């Protein structure tokens, strides 16, 4: 396997280490001459330059001193200094060469994860196509390595994003789009642009736990709005909140919300756009999932109905092109200038070569075909997962039936605490997303978000069945009267998404 | 020249546009059939798939409707919808293909810039070497495209940074280092970790204007400390400030400060480390310029003397490897965990392929040789620039003589306002850095920072002479008694850096 780094830096440090050890141990004493550069190079089978680098390193640290045309000599009081050099070099980390560097993480990583929201399965994306785009951009745009790109991002990507936004029903201008380090980073900057610490932000309930972490990190307060699993945030509840609370911003995922996968009907989206204009309050709209839907009609963003710039739309292609490329975007309406300034001032810079590569990938004719393939794959997979849940989870379990996306939302019966279930699963190398993560209250402590964005094979399917078994044991522990037989029978009594509507309570 | 993107997306939109125009104009009326997919493909010399994509787009927008086995038909009331589609597509930006996308910026860019601090000259870096490293990392690490990397960065780069930190006298552990979107981003997160809005932060005077923007953006207050052009921030002044003011953090560039290029002596660095431990106040240390110095002795960071973790050290390789790669790092001492969390929560994510490429570049044996070459190049260039300043700037001009770096600090005589000089230069297509940018007061309104990080040829040398001429005119306008002859004579009367010490006033 090709190595990622040359050996040179380690070599010169190894040679410096050996000399320092000799000096620290007293084997080489003050005033003694080090082996000549040529001799040392020959002995160690390295180049003269490497030995010079080693001796210079020792010189810098006061261990040796060069004399004109005579070589390097051990300085006075050098034993303590040499011992310091030995410690520093021995303490230095080795740079892994061409091997996975996550060895330390592997132990922490579960065997099967239903918790992560990022699409990881190798079937989803064509890494080779991305590699080609990156290498091509690196070749054609190598000049950008020696220049800071425009702080808002390269116009190529901003225009490609604007072109894609046509599919969300939005006519955006590339010049008003700012490229970010991803969608969460875009949301973070929007919040910073329109709020100050202590301000109140309205969110969905349940919502993406990353938003809750972010609000806390920015010292913002959240008001959670009831959210219907099919039609999204409750507009009457929102209006009531706007009438009675000093809300400074809304942070919503109107299309394929996370974790419910609800989609606001177009009439609701239009009404929401009217509402934020009427109350003059910014809506931060996350459209990261919209492209996963099959039609432009369903993909349409609230931004499409925003004529006055009250909607700040944030997206990325982490769910559709590559989670690892780490680029997102924002069109911040009347706050476009502020966003551009924030990005520059806070130094959340992005790389031009990756931007060109992503622009290239987005404007390839195959992008829509790729979306359709991805959509079909996930539809099939979520169907299989729902069947397994039906077969293995306790009586009375309910699960949604999302039109797209990577996750299912599961509601367990009774008083089951999914934090306990999480601990039981973790002990067996399986992670799940307990409902409590998605809310500031205990409202969803009996719920689970299960993600199918990772690999999906026999091992994962067995793990899902095992989660169901553990959930059954929990339920049995709670209610011993429920007999095993009854449970087995009820597993066929699967309840469809139409029944999952118990959330729209204020 | 190879094209960056395929034509497909524009093609299908062009076909959709033509159909929509026909419908909007009434040429194709409600109920009429669109040309068959095959005919249209043949007419337009495109593939059937492209026409299908165009018709599907029109269908999504309610303009046409498909009938089973009969083709696509114009829907009722479609003229207004078609007009909307025409507007949306005509409004859509074109994605530039393989051409520089900064055409819009060119007009705003000056012909010659002495203002930018980022090294841009093509002579500085080997873009091809960077390209090779990026392409190789993209090939070997393509799996990272479908995974979020560790939020703190890949261990390969974190260890490579720790290895480089040996040259700053620091024994750091890779696992405690967080990779960031650049040095300013690292500083921004350090400030967020240790302060809250309204807090007071001690800075150098003069300081990097980016720090002033950042403090303002985070709603922090600054107290500017007197800074000696040779030995850096005044420690007695700092101690007085710590004794009398509620200072929550220090933000300093102890080695090659910006704009003065001062270097704290090692005794001062050691005393500074003791001081922050004694007062238990975090020091955010920017080491972005340290590697530009020739010896490890002068490069040594304050962090090298920090045994209790009060120093948060921030760096990047924007000044030594590539300004465009956009990666930095931080070792935040006792706040390491907080930094790692902040990066994850605020989504300022970094790309794993670029991280591997940078690790590769840093651990190549040639990196130190490259630094020496860069150093020699800049030493020569700054010497030439000082000579030109000596020959063309007004009587009494003083300029520093930095041991390394990309900039000179110039002090003009008398009451000259360099904001006026800035305006005069700008009108002639030349930009300079007026002193007022580097301070919150008017203390440096007669000063200039001149950067030589861009190209350096006859055009730039003539431009520098022209800046001197304009400065002379300004001085003459202020003081008509100074005769032209006297000025010419005095141009030889160059004052060395030993005289530039008028700043350490509290």
């Amino acid at each position: 396997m090709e190595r990622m780094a040359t050996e040179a830096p380690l070599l010169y440090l190894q040679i410096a280490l050996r000399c320092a050890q000799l000096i620290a141990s007293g084997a080489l004493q003050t005033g003694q001459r080090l082996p000549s550069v040529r001799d040392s190079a020959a002995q160690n089978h390295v180049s003269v330059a490497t030995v010079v680098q080693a001796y210079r390193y020792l010189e810098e640290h006061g261990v040796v001193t060069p004399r004109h045309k005579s070589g390097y000599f051990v300085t006075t009081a050098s034993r303590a200094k040499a011992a310091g050099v030995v410690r520093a070099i021995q303490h230095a980390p080795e740079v892994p060469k061409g091997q996975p560097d996550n060895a330390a993480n592997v132990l922490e990583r579960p065997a099967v994860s239903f918790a992560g929201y990022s699409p990881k399965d190798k079937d989803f994306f064509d890494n080779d196509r991305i590699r080609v785009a990156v290498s091509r951009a690196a070749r054609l745009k190598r000049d950008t390595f020696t220049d800071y790109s425009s702080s808002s991002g390269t116009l190529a990507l901003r225009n490609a994003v604007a072109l894609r936004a046509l599919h969300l029903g939005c006519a955006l201008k590339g010049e008003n789009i700012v490229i970010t380090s991803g969608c969460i980073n875009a949301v973070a900057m929007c919040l910073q642009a329109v709020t100050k610490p202590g301000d109140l932000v309205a969110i969905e309930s349940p919502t993406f736990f990353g938003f809750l972490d972010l609000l806390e990190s920015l010292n913002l307060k959240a008001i959670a709005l009831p959210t219907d699993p099919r039609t999204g945030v409750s507009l009457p509840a929102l209006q009531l909140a706007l009438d009675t609370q000093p809300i400074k911003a809304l942070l919503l995922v109107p299309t394929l919300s996370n974790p419910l996968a609800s989609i606001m009907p177009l009439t609701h989206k239009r009404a929401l756009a009217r509402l934020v204009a009427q109350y003059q309050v910014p809506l931060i709209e996350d459209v990261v999932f919209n492209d996963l839907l099959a039609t432009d009609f369903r993909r349409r963003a609230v931004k499409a109905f925003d004529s006055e710039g009250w909607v700040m739309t944030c997206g990325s292609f982490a769910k559709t092109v590559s989670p690892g490329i780490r680029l997102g975007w924002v069109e911040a309406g009347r706050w476009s200038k502020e966003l551009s300034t924030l990005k520059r001032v806070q130094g959340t810079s992005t790389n031009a070569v990756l931007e060109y590569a992503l622009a290239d990938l987005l404007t390839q004719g195959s992008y829509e075909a790729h979306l359709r393939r991805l959509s079909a794959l996930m539809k099939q997979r979520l169907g299989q997962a729902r069947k397994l849940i039906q077969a293995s989870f306790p009586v009375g379990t309910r699960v949604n039936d999302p039109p797209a996306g990577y996750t299912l939302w599961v509601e367990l019966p009774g008083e089951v605490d999914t934090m306990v279930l999480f601990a039981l699963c973790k002990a067996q190398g399986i992670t799940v997303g307990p409902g409590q993560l998605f809310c500031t209250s205990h409202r969803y402590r009996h719920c689970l978000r299960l993600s199918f964005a990772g690999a999906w094979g026999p091992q994962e399917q067995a793990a899902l069945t095992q989660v169901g078994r553990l959930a059954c044991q929990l339920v049995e522990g709670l209610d011993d009267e429920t007999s095993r037989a009854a449970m087995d029978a009820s597993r066929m009594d699967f309840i469809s998404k139409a029944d999952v509507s118990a959330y729209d309570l204020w």
Side-chain angles (χ1 to χ4, degrees), chain A:
Chain A
M1 180 169 191
E2 194 175 345
R3 298 172 81 91
M4 278 297 297
T6 67
E7 296 189 276
L10 296 177
L11 270 185
Y12 88 83
L13 283 176
Q14 288 309 320
I15 291 164
L17 175 65
R18 257 170 269 157
C19 294
Q21 281 169 331
L22 291 173
I23 296 166
S25 69
L28 263 170
Q29 303 226 337
T30 301
Q32 276 193 286
R33 185 168 164 279
L34 261 54
S36 81
V37 169
R38 278 187 195 287
D39 287 354
S40 181
Q43 275 164 29
N44 292 290
H45 307 288
V46 297
S47 71
V48 165
T50 299
V51 178
V52 168
Q53 209 170 358
Y55 286 7
R56 281 178 71 126
Y57 184 83
L58 293 172
E59 181 192 349
E60 299 287 356
H61 288 78
V63 178
V64 302
T65 188
R67 286 190 211 148
H68 187 58
K69 291 198 173 174
S70 309
Y72 284 81
F73 293 80
V74 180
T75 57
T76 50
S78 59
R79 284 187 66 172
K81 286 177 196 163
V85 167
V86 169
R87 276 196 303 276
I89 297 177
Q90 285 180 337
H91 182 279
E94 280 204 43
V95 181
K97 292 174 188 304
Q99 288 146 27
D101 73 348
N102 45 17
N105 296 333
V106 164
L107 289 176
E108 284 207 76
R109 284 195 187 170
V112 177
S113 170
F114 298 118
Y117 62 99
S118 160
K120 287 181 176 174
D121 191 338
K122 308 232 176 299
D123 285 352
F124 291 153
F125 308 112
D126 185 347
N127 281 338
D128 264 316
R129 187 188 280 269
I130 302 169
R131 176 186 67 76
V132 167
V134 169
S135 294
R136 186 158 58 163
R139 192 170 68 248
L140 293 174
K141 301 294 181 180
R142 76 191 85 172
D143 284 355
T144 63
F145 288 126
T146 31
D147 202 356
Y148 283 137
S149 58
S150 154
S151 79
S152 293
T154 57
L155 209 55
L157 180 55
R158 293 154 83 193
N159 282 343
V161 167
L163 207 60
R164 280 302 311 165
L166 283 177
H167 293 272
L168 309 181
C170 303
L172 306 182
K173 286 185 182 165
E175 66 208 65
N176 295 332
I177 289 168
V178 175
I179 303 304
T180 67
S181 293
C183 186
I184 297 175
N185 180 236
V187 170
M189 289 198 289
C190 287
L191 285 169
Q192 286 174 287
V194 298
T195 66
K196 52 182 196 308
D199 278 354
L200 191 61
V201 176
I203 55 173
E204 288 142 344
S205 170
T207 190
F208 169 44
F209 52 79
F211 288 167
L212 297 175
D213 288 346
L214 179 59
L215 293 172
E216 194 187 341
S217 154
L218 296 173
N219 292 304
L220 294 167
K221 288 184 227 148
I223 182 167
L225 301 172
T227 302
D228 183 272
R230 281 153 299 154
T231 60
V233 73
S234 158
L235 290 180
L238 173 59
Q239 183 146 14
L240 180 62
L242 287 169
D243 279 334
T244 58
Q245 306 286 336
I247 291 172
K248 291 295 189 292
L250 317 181
L251 170 53
L252 304 175
V253 189
T255 312
L256 280 175
S257 73
N258 182 358
L260 288 183
S262 59
I263 301 177
M264 292 182 79
L266 275 196
T267 51
H268 288 212
K269 286 178 177 171
R270 190 180 280 115
L272 177 55
R274 263 203 303 269
L275 210 56
V276 297
Q278 181 193 333
Y279 284 85
Q280 309 212 331
V281 58
L283 162 64
I284 303 170
E285 178 187 28
D286 180 339
V287 297
V288 78
F289 297 109
N290 294 43
D291 269 0
L292 295 176
L293 289 164
T295 68
D296 285 3
F297 183 79
R298 304 197 80 185
R299 287 171 179 170
R300 195 157 303 180
V302 177
K303 183 85 188 173
F305 306 106
D306 171 44
S307 54
E308 293 175 33
W310 292 101
V311 180
M312 310 167 89
T313 298
C314 302
S316 89
F317 300 93
K319 314 301 177 201
T320 55
V321 176
S322 156
I325 212 162
R326 302 282 201 165
L327 289 170
W329 59 274
V330 52
E331 207 278 8
R334 48 182 70 203
W335 292 275
S336 288
K337 278 226 171 68
E338 280 85 345
L339 260 285
S340 175
T341 303
L342 261 175
K343 186 189 174 195
R344 179 175 52 75
V345 166
Q346 302 201 353
T348 55
S349 45
T350 44
N351 172 268
V353 162
L354 292 181
E355 291 176 357
Y356 281 107
L358 182 57
D360 193 8
L361 290 165
L362 288 178
T363 52
Q364 283 173 5
S366 55
Y367 180 63
E368 277 287 333
H370 159 69
L371 289 176
R372 279 195 292 277
R373 197 184 66 85
L374 193 60
S375 228
L377 188 71
M378 280 316 301
K379 206 163 178 63
Q380 186 190 26
R381 185 179 292 195
L382 291 183
Q384 292 167 351
R386 294 179 82 245
K387 282 221 179 75
L388 283 176
I389 291 169
Q390 181 176 8
S392 63
F393 275 57
V395 180
T397 294
R398 305 197 293 181
V399 62
N400 69 341
D401 186 10
Y406 296 100
T407 62
L408 293 176
W409 182 248
V410 178
E411 195 183 306
L412 291 167
E415 298 292 305
V416 174
D417 183 347
T418 52
M419 286 303 281
V420 176
L421 181 59
F422 175 81
L424 290 174
C425 292
K426 186 99 195 265
Q428 305 201 5
I430 306 168
T431 54
V432 297
Q436 210 160 320
L437 291 182
F438 301 87
C439 182
T440 50
S441 76
H442 291 292
R443 186 188 297 276
Y444 308 107
R445 69 187 304 166
H446 63 301
C447 298
L448 276 182
R449 191 192 67 176
L450 296 175
S451 164
F452 301 93
W456 183 244
Q459 192 193 358
E460 289 73 22
Q461 289 163 16
L464 183 58
T465 304
Q466 179 62 8
V467 174
R469 252 185 239 124
L470 292 168
C472 288
Q473 285 170 19
L474 261 187
V475 169
E476 280 169 8
L478 289 168
D479 178 14
D480 281 337
E481 288 157 306
T482 313
S483 76
R484 188 77 203 163
M487 285 192 69
D488 281 346
S490 73
R491 274 172 198 156
M492 302 308 294
D493 188 14
F494 186 72
I495 295 170
S496 80
K497 72 163 179 175
D499 292 298
V500 191
S501 56
Y503 308 113
D504 51 352
L505 305 163
W506 180 250

